[in-house]
Amino acid sequence: MPLDRDKCTCMLDRCFCLRDRAAMPMMAARHACVSFLVLVAVIMAHQTTAKPSPSDYATEAQSIINSLLPGGSCADQAWHKLAALTDTVGNRVCGSPSLERASSYMLSVWQAEGFDNVHGENVTVPHWQRGDEECTMLSPRLGYRMQILGLGTSIGTPEGRPIEAHVLVVRNFDELAAFGKAGQVQGKIVLLNYACDWSSNPVGCYGACAKYRGEGASRAARWGAVAYLVRSLASASIGSPHTGMQRYASSKAEDQIPAAAVTVEDAEALARMQARGQDVVLRLSMGAQNLPARQARNVVAEWRGRELPDEVVLLSGHLDSWDVGVGAMDDGGGLVISWQALSTLRALHWRARRTIRVVGWVGEEFGGIGGRQYFDDHREEKVVLVIESDMGAFRPRGLSFSGGVDAASVMADVGSLLGGINATLVARDGKGYETDTQPWKAVGVPGASLISENERYFAYHHSHGDQMNVLQPGDMDLAAAVFAVTAFVVADLDEALPKGDERGEGEKGKMKEEKERQRMRKGNAGSGLAVS
């Protein structure tokens, strides 16, 4: 007897009472509907009973993890989502049409997936264009073309013409100042060749080196240099330069000279030539321009809370990238594992008590502009936890956490739920290079970032090597599991995660916030972008 679809009373979402199967007996159809109703009843019961402790969520945590392990219903999705973004759009530098296309792409796929409150929020960002670049050695190796990448916000060579000048290699700012005082910097191209022991400190070296990329051009300019080159901030190199942001001390002409990164190999070669007493001469041409600021969009999607929708757990990564490679690792992967966490909860039909929100920031590579704008626009909201990944979506070890003692205790219990994937570490160190969530942490909101096996991160960072093959599907699934479990449990607990002092660390927190604002103002001096 065929099943009359008009008499089917199972009207719940995704009901599979098989009403379209003409030969289905009524008894079997009823059995299917009853079974499904029992399943739905279990889900509904789960969704109306919050729990007091993270340890009470062991079953839910394992269900999330299982769905992302090989053979699970959500396995391999994250990597393919990222591949679709990078293959379709490519890299996404601030102010570029490709960044705007990426924002539109993300909003369209999130809307299609059925998330809540999908929208973009405008952010004014710098618009820097690299232009053509060339650096050729005239002496001693005539005609050797060095690989370079201009640094963000660098100006071009004057009037679009090449600079021909002798090179002075220095190891640090003290040597630069000493040579400057001796009158030996005037008219030279300065190469800052600071060598860090990346093998013993594959992540921490970045912080030790970053000031040479960020501040060096203006320092060299004040001693009369005509251009500035910096050894790439790279833990490994195969003749690949690594770009990044630099900041002129002011918009004054005397503080601004062309600035670019050179490969590790070339930096060392020029240092050897100078040590031998050889005269190194380069011809440098750069077409970089700082154009008027443009509008970009932070992109937002939610899985709305069932009881306390105005309280938010925020997951994030930044959508913008540099204009080399495809921005897969930095930071498409961080954004996509946040997205996949939401997708996994949606696939399980689980809504936490509180809202779980994903934000894809723009302007991170130029100083966290989108993150700051979002904080200024949303600071009155009750955000209970901010999470960001911006150090590669590699195999996870756990989370780095900043917050009070009580919140850290809760997060340690959450971490214990991830023992099956060996990601239980919750390091209360507040470390990490995540920029966009810093404003929230400064006012006491607990914050976390992914700790992963990222020792290779700076081999690809800001270079042509930032491609899809750097990341592995299984690693991204496990990273998404860490985010999904953490976000769901924290969002569903009876009590919100305890917040720290209203100013982060009292007056220290207030000073941190103001210092961050000053840093951003300084970083955008001369770029046409005003940051309040």
Side-chain angles (χ1 to χ4, degrees):
M1 171 180 172
L3 179 65
D4 185 348
R5 70 178 62 202
D6 294 329
K7 293 180 181 179
C8 179
T9 58
C10 181
M11 301 299 292
L12 294 170
D13 181 42
R14 289 181 176 264
C15 173
F16 56 97
C17 62
L18 307 177
R19 59 188 181 184
D20 293 323
R21 294 190 177 180
M24 182 72 180
M26 182 63 76
M27 186 71 71
R30 287 175 179 167
H31 179 73
C33 273
V34 170
S35 298
F36 186 72
L37 284 169
V38 171
L39 174 63
V40 171
V42 172
I43 294 173
M44 294 299 289
H46 161 75
Q47 293 198 2
T48 56
T49 307
K51 303 170 185 179
S53 169
S55 61
D56 297 321
Y57 286 87
T59 300
E60 289 87 345
Q62 194 58 53
S63 294
I64 291 170
I65 292 168
N66 289 344
S67 71
L68 288 159
L69 290 175
S73 59
C74 297
D76 290 347
Q77 290 180 3
W79 192 92
H80 288 287
K81 287 174 178 175
L82 179 58
L85 168 65
T86 58
D87 292 346
T88 302
V89 179
N91 55 53
R92 307 165 299 279
V93 72
C94 254
S96 68
S98 62
L99 179 57
E100 182 58 22
R101 287 196 299 270
S103 294
S104 296
Y105 177 90
M106 294 303 302
L107 295 175
S108 67
V109 294
W110 283 349
Q111 288 168 344
E113 195 164 340
F115 294 137
D116 304 315
N117 194 25
V118 176
H119 66 281
E121 299 186 10
N122 287 343
V123 180
T124 303
V125 297
H127 183 201
W128 177 77
Q129 285 187 346
R130 177 176 305 283
D132 294 332
E133 301 173 326
E134 186 173 339
C135 185
T136 303
M137 188 181 297
L138 304 181
S139 174
R141 193 189 312 176
L142 179 62
Y144 171 61
R145 184 168 178 175
M146 296 169 52
Q147 298 299 313
I148 65 168
L149 283 176
L151 302 180
T153 74
S154 173
I155 62 172
T157 47
E159 300 178 354
R161 297 176 181 174
I163 292 171
E164 293 186 9
H166 294 265
V167 174
L168 173 68
V169 182
V170 298
R171 292 175 295 182
N172 51 50
F173 287 152
D174 289 340
E175 281 195 359
L176 175 62
F179 280 112
K181 291 173 183 177
Q184 296 181 44
V185 176
Q186 186 73 35
K188 302 281 181 63
I189 296 173
V190 168
L191 167 61
L192 200 301
N193 182 41
Y194 177 76
C196 187
D197 185 5
W198 289 88
S199 60
S200 63
N201 197 7
V203 175
C205 268
Y206 185 76
C209 297
K211 63 182 179 181
Y212 296 113
R213 188 188 68 201
E215 306 171 22
S218 287
R219 287 182 181 243
R222 288 180 177 178
W223 293 112
V226 294
Y228 179 75
L229 303 176
V230 65
R231 173 187 176 128
S232 285
L233 278 61
S235 60
S237 176
I238 51 171
S240 55
H242 294 230
T243 188
M245 180 72 173
Q246 70 89 38
R247 295 179 173 87
Y248 291 123
S250 76
S251 58
K252 298 177 181 177
E254 58 265 31
D255 284 330
Q256 300 192 9
I257 55 177
V262 301
T263 69
V264 171
E265 294 89 340
D266 283 342
E268 292 182 346
L270 267 61
R272 291 194 300 269
M273 292 174 187
Q274 178 172 287
R276 294 189 199 102
Q278 293 176 301
D279 197 19
V280 181
V281 180
L282 298 179
R283 178 192 292 127
L284 176 68
S285 178
M286 293 176 58
Q289 299 181 75
N290 287 289
L291 300 172
R294 284 190 170 184
Q295 289 295 302
R297 292 178 289 173
N298 288 330
V299 291
V300 183
E302 294 179 344
W303 197 229
R304 196 158 176 79
R306 66 178 190 274
E307 293 179 19
L308 300 169
D310 293 334
E311 297 185 13
V312 177
V313 170
L314 192 155
L315 298 171
S316 66
H318 67 84
L319 181 59
D320 67 306
S321 74
W322 283 102
D323 56 338
V324 290
V326 297
M329 181 192 72
D330 183 20
D331 180 36
L335 176 56
V336 169
I337 63 171
S338 301
W339 168 13
Q340 185 59 45
L342 223 59
S343 297
T344 302
L345 297 176
R346 184 181 182 279
L348 292 168
H349 301 281
W350 292 357
R351 286 188 186 268
R353 295 182 74 213
R354 299 170 184 83
T355 292
I356 301 174
R357 179 182 298 164
V358 171
V359 181
W361 316 105
V362 293
E364 190 279 340
E365 297 293 2
F366 282 75
I369 298 164
R372 169 60 61 182
Q373 182 67 59
Y374 188 87
F375 173 76
D376 286 344
D377 292 343
H378 294 267
R379 64 187 304 166
E380 299 306 319
E381 292 185 352
K382 186 169 183 180
V383 177
V384 300
L385 176 67
V386 291
I387 306 177
E388 184 174 9
S389 172
D390 189 18
M391 283 290 290
F394 300 104
R395 184 171 294 271
R397 294 169 176 160
L399 295 170
S400 173
F401 179 70
S402 64
V405 175
D406 292 339
S409 178
V410 174
M411 291 296 290
D413 288 343
V414 173
S416 68
L417 300 173
L418 298 162
I421 58 173
N422 297 314
T424 59
L425 176 63
V426 177
R428 192 177 173 223
D429 54 11
K431 291 181 180 179
Y433 295 96
E434 288 74 11
T435 299
D436 298 290
T437 54
Q438 292 301 325
W440 296 97
K441 296 177 186 179
V443 297
V445 175
S449 57
L450 187 69
I451 298 176
S452 66
E453 296 179 359
N454 58 5
E455 290 81 5
R456 298 180 299 124
Y457 182 78
F458 290 108
Y460 306 103
H461 177 256
H462 294 184
S463 77
H464 289 289
D466 186 354
Q467 303 284 345
M468 279 303 304
N469 61 349
V470 175
L471 300 175
Q472 301 303 314
D475 292 348
M476 291 189 67
D477 289 340
L478 296 180
V482 172
F483 274 25
V485 169
T486 302
F488 180 76
V489 173
V490 172
D492 201 60
L493 287 170
D494 282 342
E495 300 292 332
L497 200 64
K499 187 178 179 181
D501 187 280
E502 283 297 315
R503 302 305 301 180
E505 299 175 29
E507 285 303 308
K508 286 185 179 179
K510 186 174 182 180
M511 291 170 65
K512 281 183 180 179
E513 187 176 353
E514 181 56 30
K515 185 177 180 181
E516 175 69 9
R517 286 182 179 275
Q518 291 175 355
R519 184 183 70 80
M520 290 180 64
R521 291 192 193 102
K522 180 180 177 182
N524 290 292
S527 67
L529 177 66
V531 180
S532 60

